[in-house]
Amino acid sequence: MGRPRTPLLDRERITTTALELIDERGEFSVPQIAKRLGVQTGSVYHHVDGRDGIVELLRERVSSAIDTHTLSLTPWDTALAAWARSYRAAFAAHPKTIPLLTTSPVRAPRVLEQYERAVTLLLDAGFPLRDVMPVIIALENLVLGSALDLAAPETMWELPDETTTPRLAAALDAVGEGRADRAFELALEGFLAHARALQAA
């Protein structure tokens, strides 16, 4: 028999399958990927550098949805805010990847290039070198935490009745829809205010 016109296995299909498994189950394994694709486990290893290689492919896939053109906007705080919103949207689409990706070192060249642009943005804006990575990491903490919040139920507090916690009940009633978005924008503005103070100093 001749070779199939469409290869049974390539890096794109492996990445897509791993992402499907994470979205469904919160984790993946190479044997699970092989089973879903109908191939032997060893065949998967011919295309990727083990599990760590798949993790970096996942990082590239999810991060590809971040609009890096935002980092070219001016002034710098407008660029950072736009990048944060795009970053949040990309990870909110696949929130179960966050625990996996935040506990593995970043190696993917395309993702490292994005960090290079963010570092350049802050240095060009006049941030001291020692403050650049803390600013970026703090922004990521805000973004990824909010992306997880977007995946949470709209109502996170279930009260047995309003008599035991009346002020909490009133506050929950007052927040209305879009709780996660409002909280993100509040946190983002607080972050940017502090970053502006750092930059001015």
Side-chain angles (χ1 to χ4, degrees):
M1 291 179 65
R3 290 178 177 269
R5 291 183 180 179
T6 303
L8 292 175
L9 209 54
D10 58 32
R11 290 161 69 92
E12 284 294 311
R13 290 185 181 199
I14 292 168
T15 306
T16 298
T17 304
L19 190 55
E20 288 172 354
L21 287 165
I22 292 172
D23 286 344
E24 293 167 11
R25 307 177 184 183
E27 50 86 27
F28 79 93
S29 70
V30 177
Q32 287 170 341
I33 291 171
K35 182 177 180 181
R36 184 162 291 198
L37 288 172
V39 299
Q40 297 296 316
T41 299
S43 300
V44 176
Y45 287 109
H46 289 308
H47 296 270
V48 296
D49 186 17
R51 180 181 170 83
D52 288 346
I54 297 172
V55 169
E56 286 311 288
L57 289 172
L58 287 165
R59 193 189 307 279
E60 282 195 339
R61 173 71 65 83
V62 176
S63 297
S64 69
I66 302 172
D67 182 4
T68 56
H69 293 98
T70 56
L71 292 168
S72 300
L73 298 174
T74 56
W76 67 268
D77 51 351
T78 297
L80 214 57
W83 186 53
R85 293 186 183 102
S86 182
Y87 196 147
R88 174 180 180 247
F91 277 84
H94 303 285
K96 291 180 181 177
T97 64
I98 293 173
L100 175 67
L101 299 180
T102 55
T103 54
S104 300
V106 181
R107 299 186 183 95
R110 291 179 187 173
V111 179
L112 291 172
E113 181 183 345
Q114 193 168 152
Y115 281 102
E116 178 74 6
R117 292 185 65 176
V119 168
T120 300
L121 171 73
L122 295 179
L123 288 175
D124 288 350
F127 280 82
L129 185 59
R130 68 179 181 277
D131 290 337
V132 168
M133 289 312 298
V135 167
I136 291 172
I137 294 166
L139 181 61
E140 284 190 312
N141 289 344
L142 189 165
V143 163
L144 295 175
S146 183
L148 286 171
D149 191 26
L150 275 175
E154 182 66 22
T155 303
M156 281 296 296
W157 295 264
E158 294 185 357
L159 311 183
D161 58 68
E162 297 186 1
T163 59
T164 54
T165 53
R167 291 183 176 179
L168 174 58
L172 290 172
D173 286 341
V175 75
E177 293 185 3
R179 167 190 62 76
D181 289 333
R182 289 176 60 191
F184 171 70
E185 291 297 331
L186 176 64
L188 181 60
E189 184 50 47
F191 164 83
L192 289 171
H194 185 70
R196 291 184 194 108
L198 273 178
Q199 187 252 4

PDB file of all heavy atoms in Angstrom, residues 165-199:
ATOM      1  N   THR A 165     -25.110  36.268  56.345  1.00  0.00           N
ATOM      2  CA  THR A 165     -24.107  37.177  55.752  1.00  0.00           C
ATOM      3  C   THR A 165     -24.841  38.243  54.925  1.00  0.00           C
ATOM      4  O   THR A 165     -24.715  38.283  53.693  1.00  0.00           O
ATOM      5  CB  THR A 165     -23.126  36.398  54.852  1.00  0.00           C
ATOM      6  OG1 THR A 165     -23.880  35.622  53.901  1.00  0.00           O
ATOM      7  CG2 THR A 165     -22.224  35.478  55.664  1.00  0.00           C
ATOM      8  N   PRO A 166     -25.550  39.145  55.581  1.00  0.00           N
ATOM      9  CA  PRO A 166     -26.384  40.101  54.839  1.00  0.00           C
ATOM     10  C   PRO A 166     -25.580  41.083  53.987  1.00  0.00           C
ATOM     11  O   PRO A 166     -26.016  41.456  52.888  1.00  0.00           O
ATOM     12  CB  PRO A 166     -27.157  40.824  55.943  1.00  0.00           C
ATOM     13  CG  PRO A 166     -26.325  40.645  57.174  1.00  0.00           C
ATOM     14  CD  PRO A 166     -25.689  39.308  57.031  1.00  0.00           C
ATOM     15  N   ARG A 167     -24.421  41.511  54.478  1.00  0.00           N
ATOM     16  CA  ARG A 167     -23.644  42.477  53.688  1.00  0.00           C
ATOM     17  C   ARG A 167     -23.026  41.814  52.459  1.00  0.00           C
ATOM     18  O   ARG A 167     -22.958  42.419  51.390  1.00  0.00           O
ATOM     19  CB  ARG A 167     -22.567  43.120  54.568  1.00  0.00           C
ATOM     20  CG  ARG A 167     -23.175  44.035  55.633  1.00  0.00           C
ATOM     21  CD  ARG A 167     -22.123  44.726  56.455  1.00  0.00           C
ATOM     22  NE  ARG A 167     -22.738  45.656  57.392  1.00  0.00           N
ATOM     23  CZ  ARG A 167     -22.060  46.402  58.269  1.00  0.00           C
ATOM     24  NH1 ARG A 167     -20.732  46.311  58.314  1.00  0.00           N
ATOM     25  NH2 ARG A 167     -22.688  47.232  59.065  1.00  0.00           N
ATOM     26  N   LEU A 168     -22.571  40.581  52.617  1.00  0.00           N
ATOM     27  CA  LEU A 168     -22.058  39.836  51.473  1.00  0.00           C
ATOM     28  C   LEU A 168     -23.170  39.631  50.452  1.00  0.00           C
ATOM     29  O   LEU A 168     -22.964  39.803  49.244  1.00  0.00           O
ATOM     30  CB  LEU A 168     -21.487  38.488  51.921  1.00  0.00           C
ATOM     31  CG  LEU A 168     -21.032  37.537  50.811  1.00  0.00           C
ATOM     32  CD1 LEU A 168     -19.955  38.176  49.925  1.00  0.00           C
ATOM     33  CD2 LEU A 168     -20.522  36.227  51.403  1.00  0.00           C
ATOM     34  N   ALA A 169     -24.363  39.287  50.918  1.00  0.00           N
ATOM     35  CA  ALA A 169     -25.497  39.081  50.012  1.00  0.00           C
ATOM     36  C   ALA A 169     -25.809  40.359  49.239  1.00  0.00           C
ATOM     37  O   ALA A 169     -26.032  40.332  48.023  1.00  0.00           O
ATOM     38  CB  ALA A 169     -26.716  38.616  50.803  1.00  0.00           C
ATOM     39  N   ALA A 170     -25.794  41.489  49.922  1.00  0.00           N
ATOM     40  CA  ALA A 170     -26.085  42.765  49.263  1.00  0.00           C
ATOM     41  C   ALA A 170     -25.000  43.118  48.246  1.00  0.00           C
ATOM     42  O   ALA A 170     -25.293  43.611  47.155  1.00  0.00           O
ATOM     43  CB  ALA A 170     -26.217  43.872  50.306  1.00  0.00           C
ATOM     44  N   ALA A 171     -23.746  42.862  48.614  1.00  0.00           N
ATOM     45  CA  ALA A 171     -22.639  43.162  47.703  1.00  0.00           C
ATOM     46  C   ALA A 171     -22.712  42.293  46.455  1.00  0.00           C
ATOM     47  O   ALA A 171     -22.447  42.765  45.340  1.00  0.00           O
ATOM     48  CB  ALA A 171     -21.304  42.958  48.415  1.00  0.00           C
ATOM     49  N   LEU A 172     -23.079  41.024  46.626  1.00  0.00           N
ATOM     50  CA  LEU A 172     -23.206  40.132  45.477  1.00  0.00           C
ATOM     51  C   LEU A 172     -24.357  40.551  44.573  1.00  0.00           C
ATOM     52  O   LEU A 172     -24.249  40.494  43.348  1.00  0.00           O
ATOM     53  CB  LEU A 172     -23.394  38.689  45.949  1.00  0.00           C
ATOM     54  CG  LEU A 172     -22.168  38.035  46.598  1.00  0.00           C
ATOM     55  CD1 LEU A 172     -22.538  36.682  47.205  1.00  0.00           C
ATOM     56  CD2 LEU A 172     -21.043  37.865  45.582  1.00  0.00           C
ATOM     57  N   ASP A 173     -25.448  40.992  45.165  1.00  0.00           N
ATOM     58  CA  ASP A 173     -26.585  41.460  44.371  1.00  0.00           C
ATOM     59  C   ASP A 173     -26.214  42.710  43.569  1.00  0.00           C
ATOM     60  O   ASP A 173     -26.678  42.911  42.449  1.00  0.00           O
ATOM     61  CB  ASP A 173     -27.789  41.762  45.271  1.00  0.00           C
ATOM     62  CG  ASP A 173     -28.469  40.499  45.779  1.00  0.00           C
ATOM     63  OD1 ASP A 173     -28.258  39.428  45.174  1.00  0.00           O
ATOM     64  OD2 ASP A 173     -29.197  40.587  46.786  1.00  0.00           O
ATOM     65  N   ALA A 174     -25.358  43.549  44.161  1.00  0.00           N
ATOM     66  CA  ALA A 174     -25.022  44.832  43.531  1.00  0.00           C
ATOM     67  C   ALA A 174     -24.028  44.701  42.389  1.00  0.00           C
ATOM     68  O   ALA A 174     -23.953  45.582  41.528  1.00  0.00           O
ATOM     69  CB  ALA A 174     -24.463  45.790  44.591  1.00  0.00           C
ATOM     70  N   VAL A 175     -23.255  43.619  42.352  1.00  0.00           N
ATOM     71  CA  VAL A 175     -22.177  43.532  41.367  1.00  0.00           C
ATOM     72  C   VAL A 175     -22.698  43.357  39.942  1.00  0.00           C
ATOM     73  O   VAL A 175     -22.079  43.817  38.990  1.00  0.00           O
ATOM     74  CB  VAL A 175     -21.182  42.406  41.734  1.00  0.00           C
ATOM     75  CG1 VAL A 175     -21.748  41.030  41.428  1.00  0.00           C
ATOM     76  CG2 VAL A 175     -19.853  42.609  41.037  1.00  0.00           C
ATOM     77  N   GLY A 176     -23.832  42.700  39.783  1.00  0.00           N
ATOM     78  CA  GLY A 176     -24.401  42.520  38.456  1.00  0.00           C
ATOM     79  C   GLY A 176     -23.588  41.563  37.597  1.00  0.00           C
ATOM     80  O   GLY A 176     -22.730  40.821  38.090  1.00  0.00           O
ATOM     81  N   GLU A 177     -23.838  41.599  36.281  1.00  0.00           N
ATOM     82  CA  GLU A 177     -23.127  40.715  35.363  1.00  0.00           C
ATOM     83  C   GLU A 177     -21.741  41.283  35.040  1.00  0.00           C
ATOM     84  O   GLU A 177     -21.475  42.455  35.251  1.00  0.00           O
ATOM     85  CB  GLU A 177     -23.939  40.539  34.073  1.00  0.00           C
ATOM     86  CG  GLU A 177     -25.248  39.792  34.271  1.00  0.00           C
ATOM     87  CD  GLU A 177     -25.970  39.542  32.958  1.00  0.00           C
ATOM     88  OE1 GLU A 177     -25.410  39.899  31.896  1.00  0.00           O
ATOM     89  OE2 GLU A 177     -27.084  38.995  33.005  1.00  0.00           O
ATOM     90  N   GLY A 178     -20.886  40.401  34.524  1.00  0.00           N
ATOM     91  CA  GLY A 178     -19.551  40.844  34.142  1.00  0.00           C
ATOM     92  C   GLY A 178     -18.618  41.030  35.313  1.00  0.00           C
ATOM     93  O   GLY A 178     -17.689  41.842  35.254  1.00  0.00           O
ATOM     94  N   ARG A 179     -18.837  40.279  36.377  1.00  0.00           N
ATOM     95  CA  ARG A 179     -18.007  40.380  37.580  1.00  0.00           C
ATOM     96  C   ARG A 179     -16.532  40.242  37.259  1.00  0.00           C
ATOM     97  O   ARG A 179     -15.704  41.053  37.694  1.00  0.00           O
ATOM     98  CB  ARG A 179     -18.437  39.292  38.571  1.00  0.00           C
ATOM     99  CG  ARG A 179     -17.486  39.073  39.732  1.00  0.00           C
ATOM    100  CD  ARG A 179     -17.851  37.841  40.530  1.00  0.00           C
ATOM    101  NE  ARG A 179     -17.777  36.619  39.775  1.00  0.00           N
ATOM    102  CZ  ARG A 179     -16.638  35.990  39.438  1.00  0.00           C
ATOM    103  NH1 ARG A 179     -15.468  36.506  39.796  1.00  0.00           N
ATOM    104  NH2 ARG A 179     -16.655  34.863  38.743  1.00  0.00           N
ATOM    105  N   ALA A 180     -16.169  39.221  36.473  1.00  0.00           N
ATOM    106  CA  ALA A 180     -14.761  38.954  36.182  1.00  0.00           C
ATOM    107  C   ALA A 180     -14.138  40.081  35.364  1.00  0.00           C
ATOM    108  O   ALA A 180     -12.997  40.482  35.605  1.00  0.00           O
ATOM    109  CB  ALA A 180     -14.620  37.617  35.461  1.00  0.00           C
ATOM    110  N   ASP A 181     -14.874  40.602  34.391  1.00  0.00           N
ATOM    111  CA  ASP A 181     -14.344  41.684  33.561  1.00  0.00           C
ATOM    112  C   ASP A 181     -14.129  42.952  34.384  1.00  0.00           C
ATOM    113  O   ASP A 181     -13.102  43.633  34.238  1.00  0.00           O
ATOM    114  CB  ASP A 181     -15.292  41.979  32.400  1.00  0.00           C
ATOM    115  CG  ASP A 181     -15.300  40.879  31.354  1.00  0.00           C
ATOM    116  OD1 ASP A 181     -14.268  40.179  31.228  1.00  0.00           O
ATOM    117  OD2 ASP A 181     -16.313  40.713  30.662  1.00  0.00           O
ATOM    118  N   ARG A 182     -15.072  43.271  35.228  1.00  0.00           N
ATOM    119  CA  ARG A 182     -14.946  44.475  36.053  1.00  0.00           C
ATOM    120  C   ARG A 182     -13.774  44.345  37.023  1.00  0.00           C
ATOM    121  O   ARG A 182     -13.019  45.299  37.232  1.00  0.00           O
ATOM    122  CB  ARG A 182     -16.248  44.734  36.811  1.00  0.00           C
ATOM    123  CG  ARG A 182     -17.388  45.194  35.913  1.00  0.00           C
ATOM    124  CD  ARG A 182     -18.682  45.338  36.676  1.00  0.00           C
ATOM    125  NE  ARG A 182     -18.556  46.319  37.754  1.00  0.00           N
ATOM    126  CZ  ARG A 182     -19.473  46.484  38.705  1.00  0.00           C
ATOM    127  NH1 ARG A 182     -20.552  45.721  38.722  1.00  0.00           N
ATOM    128  NH2 ARG A 182     -19.304  47.394  39.637  1.00  0.00           N
ATOM    129  N   ALA A 183     -13.627  43.168  37.599  1.00  0.00           N
ATOM    130  CA  ALA A 183     -12.521  42.947  38.538  1.00  0.00           C
ATOM    131  C   ALA A 183     -11.180  43.045  37.820  1.00  0.00           C
ATOM    132  O   ALA A 183     -10.210  43.616  38.346  1.00  0.00           O
ATOM    133  CB  ALA A 183     -12.671  41.586  39.206  1.00  0.00           C
ATOM    134  N   PHE A 184     -11.112  42.499  36.595  1.00  0.00           N
ATOM    135  CA  PHE A 184      -9.870  42.570  35.824  1.00  0.00           C
ATOM    136  C   PHE A 184      -9.497  44.010  35.509  1.00  0.00           C
ATOM    137  O   PHE A 184      -8.336  44.415  35.668  1.00  0.00           O
ATOM    138  CB  PHE A 184     -10.016  41.764  34.534  1.00  0.00           C
ATOM    139  CG  PHE A 184      -8.863  41.947  33.584  1.00  0.00           C
ATOM    140  CD1 PHE A 184      -7.610  41.426  33.873  1.00  0.00           C
ATOM    141  CD2 PHE A 184      -9.024  42.648  32.394  1.00  0.00           C
ATOM    142  CE1 PHE A 184      -6.531  41.598  33.000  1.00  0.00           C
ATOM    143  CE2 PHE A 184      -7.960  42.817  31.514  1.00  0.00           C
ATOM    144  CZ  PHE A 184      -6.708  42.299  31.819  1.00  0.00           C
ATOM    145  N   GLU A 185     -10.455  44.786  35.040  1.00  0.00           N
ATOM    146  CA  GLU A 185     -10.152  46.173  34.689  1.00  0.00           C
ATOM    147  C   GLU A 185      -9.740  46.984  35.917  1.00  0.00           C
ATOM    148  O   GLU A 185      -8.846  47.838  35.829  1.00  0.00           O
ATOM    149  CB  GLU A 185     -11.360  46.817  33.994  1.00  0.00           C
ATOM    150  CG  GLU A 185     -11.645  46.259  32.609  1.00  0.00           C
ATOM    151  CD  GLU A 185     -10.505  46.497  31.611  1.00  0.00           C
ATOM    152  OE1 GLU A 185      -9.778  47.499  31.753  1.00  0.00           O
ATOM    153  OE2 GLU A 185     -10.348  45.663  30.692  1.00  0.00           O
ATOM    154  N   LEU A 186     -10.341  46.706  37.063  1.00  0.00           N
ATOM    155  CA  LEU A 186      -9.955  47.381  38.300  1.00  0.00           C
ATOM    156  C   LEU A 186      -8.516  47.031  38.670  1.00  0.00           C
ATOM    157  O   LEU A 186      -7.705  47.914  38.988  1.00  0.00           O
ATOM    158  CB  LEU A 186     -10.907  46.967  39.428  1.00  0.00           C
ATOM    159  CG  LEU A 186     -10.601  47.507  40.830  1.00  0.00           C
ATOM    160  CD1 LEU A 186     -10.732  49.019  40.856  1.00  0.00           C
ATOM    161  CD2 LEU A 186     -11.529  46.870  41.860  1.00  0.00           C
ATOM    162  N   ALA A 187      -8.182  45.746  38.612  1.00  0.00           N
ATOM    163  CA  ALA A 187      -6.826  45.302  38.948  1.00  0.00           C
ATOM    164  C   ALA A 187      -5.812  45.834  37.938  1.00  0.00           C
ATOM    165  O   ALA A 187      -4.708  46.239  38.309  1.00  0.00           O
ATOM    166  CB  ALA A 187      -6.775  43.775  39.004  1.00  0.00           C
ATOM    167  N   LEU A 188      -6.189  45.841  36.656  1.00  0.00           N
ATOM    168  CA  LEU A 188      -5.280  46.330  35.622  1.00  0.00           C
ATOM    169  C   LEU A 188      -4.972  47.809  35.821  1.00  0.00           C
ATOM    170  O   LEU A 188      -3.819  48.229  35.698  1.00  0.00           O
ATOM    171  CB  LEU A 188      -5.888  46.085  34.238  1.00  0.00           C
ATOM    172  CG  LEU A 188      -5.049  46.532  33.039  1.00  0.00           C
ATOM    173  CD1 LEU A 188      -3.707  45.813  33.012  1.00  0.00           C
ATOM    174  CD2 LEU A 188      -5.815  46.294  31.735  1.00  0.00           C
ATOM    175  N   GLU A 189      -5.984  48.603  36.139  1.00  0.00           N
ATOM    176  CA  GLU A 189      -5.746  50.028  36.345  1.00  0.00           C
ATOM    177  C   GLU A 189      -4.868  50.263  37.571  1.00  0.00           C
ATOM    178  O   GLU A 189      -3.982  51.121  37.557  1.00  0.00           O
ATOM    179  CB  GLU A 189      -7.072  50.783  36.489  1.00  0.00           C
ATOM    180  CG  GLU A 189      -6.909  52.292  36.600  1.00  0.00           C
ATOM    181  CD  GLU A 189      -6.007  52.886  35.509  1.00  0.00           C
ATOM    182  OE1 GLU A 189      -6.184  52.538  34.323  1.00  0.00           O
ATOM    183  OE2 GLU A 189      -5.118  53.702  35.858  1.00  0.00           O
ATOM    184  N   GLY A 190      -5.082  49.472  38.629  1.00  0.00           N
ATOM    185  CA  GLY A 190      -4.215  49.584  39.803  1.00  0.00           C
ATOM    186  C   GLY A 190      -2.777  49.217  39.484  1.00  0.00           C
ATOM    187  O   GLY A 190      -1.832  49.889  39.915  1.00  0.00           O
ATOM    188  N   PHE A 191      -2.616  48.152  38.708  1.00  0.00           N
ATOM    189  CA  PHE A 191      -1.275  47.739  38.281  1.00  0.00           C
ATOM    190  C   PHE A 191      -0.610  48.834  37.467  1.00  0.00           C
ATOM    191  O   PHE A 191       0.558  49.181  37.684  1.00  0.00           O
ATOM    192  CB  PHE A 191      -1.369  46.448  37.468  1.00  0.00           C
ATOM    193  CG  PHE A 191      -0.137  46.148  36.668  1.00  0.00           C
ATOM    194  CD1 PHE A 191       0.960  45.524  37.249  1.00  0.00           C
ATOM    195  CD2 PHE A 191      -0.060  46.528  35.332  1.00  0.00           C
ATOM    196  CE1 PHE A 191       2.106  45.270  36.511  1.00  0.00           C
ATOM    197  CE2 PHE A 191       1.084  46.273  34.590  1.00  0.00           C
ATOM    198  CZ  PHE A 191       2.182  45.639  35.189  1.00  0.00           C
ATOM    199  N   LEU A 192      -1.332  49.391  36.493  1.00  0.00           N
ATOM    200  CA  LEU A 192      -0.757  50.417  35.626  1.00  0.00           C
ATOM    201  C   LEU A 192      -0.415  51.677  36.395  1.00  0.00           C
ATOM    202  O   LEU A 192       0.620  52.323  36.117  1.00  0.00           O
ATOM    203  CB  LEU A 192      -1.725  50.745  34.483  1.00  0.00           C
ATOM    204  CG  LEU A 192      -1.891  49.659  33.424  1.00  0.00           C
ATOM    205  CD1 LEU A 192      -3.033  50.007  32.465  1.00  0.00           C
ATOM    206  CD2 LEU A 192      -0.592  49.443  32.646  1.00  0.00           C
ATOM    207  N   ALA A 193      -1.226  52.016  37.386  1.00  0.00           N
ATOM    208  CA  ALA A 193      -0.917  53.195  38.206  1.00  0.00           C
ATOM    209  C   ALA A 193       0.406  53.010  38.934  1.00  0.00           C
ATOM    210  O   ALA A 193       1.238  53.921  39.004  1.00  0.00           O
ATOM    211  CB  ALA A 193      -2.055  53.455  39.192  1.00  0.00           C
ATOM    212  N   HIS A 194       0.611  51.823  39.475  1.00  0.00           N
ATOM    213  CA  HIS A 194       1.871  51.541  40.168  1.00  0.00           C
ATOM    214  C   HIS A 194       3.055  51.507  39.180  1.00  0.00           C
ATOM    215  O   HIS A 194       4.127  52.030  39.472  1.00  0.00           O
ATOM    216  CB  HIS A 194       1.795  50.226  40.924  1.00  0.00           C
ATOM    217  CG  HIS A 194       3.003  49.942  41.756  1.00  0.00           C
ATOM    218  ND1 HIS A 194       3.320  50.655  42.894  1.00  0.00           N
ATOM    219  CD2 HIS A 194       4.005  49.037  41.601  1.00  0.00           C
ATOM    220  CE1 HIS A 194       4.459  50.205  43.397  1.00  0.00           C
ATOM    221  NE2 HIS A 194       4.884  49.230  42.628  1.00  0.00           N
ATOM    222  N   ALA A 195       2.813  50.916  37.999  1.00  0.00           N
ATOM    223  CA  ALA A 195       3.876  50.863  36.985  1.00  0.00           C
ATOM    224  C   ALA A 195       4.251  52.270  36.525  1.00  0.00           C
ATOM    225  O   ALA A 195       5.426  52.573  36.303  1.00  0.00           O
ATOM    226  CB  ALA A 195       3.421  50.011  35.800  1.00  0.00           C
ATOM    227  N   ARG A 196       3.249  53.143  36.384  1.00  0.00           N
ATOM    228  CA  ARG A 196       3.544  54.527  36.001  1.00  0.00           C
ATOM    229  C   ARG A 196       4.402  55.220  37.064  1.00  0.00           C
ATOM    230  O   ARG A 196       5.307  55.994  36.731  1.00  0.00           O
ATOM    231  CB  ARG A 196       2.247  55.299  35.783  1.00  0.00           C
ATOM    232  CG  ARG A 196       1.451  54.879  34.565  1.00  0.00           C
ATOM    233  CD  ARG A 196       0.212  55.752  34.360  1.00  0.00           C
ATOM    234  NE  ARG A 196      -0.695  55.128  33.409  1.00  0.00           N
ATOM    235  CZ  ARG A 196      -1.870  54.569  33.744  1.00  0.00           C
ATOM    236  NH1 ARG A 196      -2.261  54.558  35.024  1.00  0.00           N
ATOM    237  NH2 ARG A 196      -2.616  54.032  32.823  1.00  0.00           N
ATOM    238  N   ALA A 197       4.101  54.934  38.329  1.00  0.00           N
ATOM    239  CA  ALA A 197       4.890  55.527  39.405  1.00  0.00           C
ATOM    240  C   ALA A 197       6.333  55.023  39.374  1.00  0.00           C
ATOM    241  O   ALA A 197       7.277  55.786  39.594  1.00  0.00           O
ATOM    242  CB  ALA A 197       4.246  55.218  40.756  1.00  0.00           C
ATOM    243  N   LEU A 198       6.496  53.738  39.092  1.00  0.00           N
ATOM    244  CA  LEU A 198       7.852  53.175  38.959  1.00  0.00           C
ATOM    245  C   LEU A 198       8.614  53.838  37.814  1.00  0.00           C
ATOM    246  O   LEU A 198       9.787  54.189  37.945  1.00  0.00           O
ATOM    247  CB  LEU A 198       7.774  51.669  38.676  1.00  0.00           C
ATOM    248  CG  LEU A 198       7.688  50.704  39.844  1.00  0.00           C
ATOM    249  CD1 LEU A 198       7.564  49.275  39.317  1.00  0.00           C
ATOM    250  CD2 LEU A 198       8.883  50.820  40.770  1.00  0.00           C
ATOM    251  N   GLN A 199       7.925  53.986  36.701  1.00  0.00           N
ATOM    252  CA  GLN A 199       8.564  54.566  35.529  1.00  0.00           C
ATOM    253  C   GLN A 199       8.934  56.030  35.761  1.00  0.00           C
ATOM    254  O   GLN A 199      10.017  56.490  35.375  1.00  0.00           O
ATOM    255  CB  GLN A 199       7.617  54.446  34.321  1.00  0.00           C
ATOM    256  CG  GLN A 199       8.227  54.872  33.000  1.00  0.00           C
ATOM    257  CD  GLN A 199       7.666  56.182  32.502  1.00  0.00           C
ATOM    258  OE1 GLN A 199       6.862  56.811  33.193  1.00  0.00           O
ATOM    259  NE2 GLN A 199       8.083  56.585  31.323  1.00  0.00           N
TER     260      GLN A 199
END
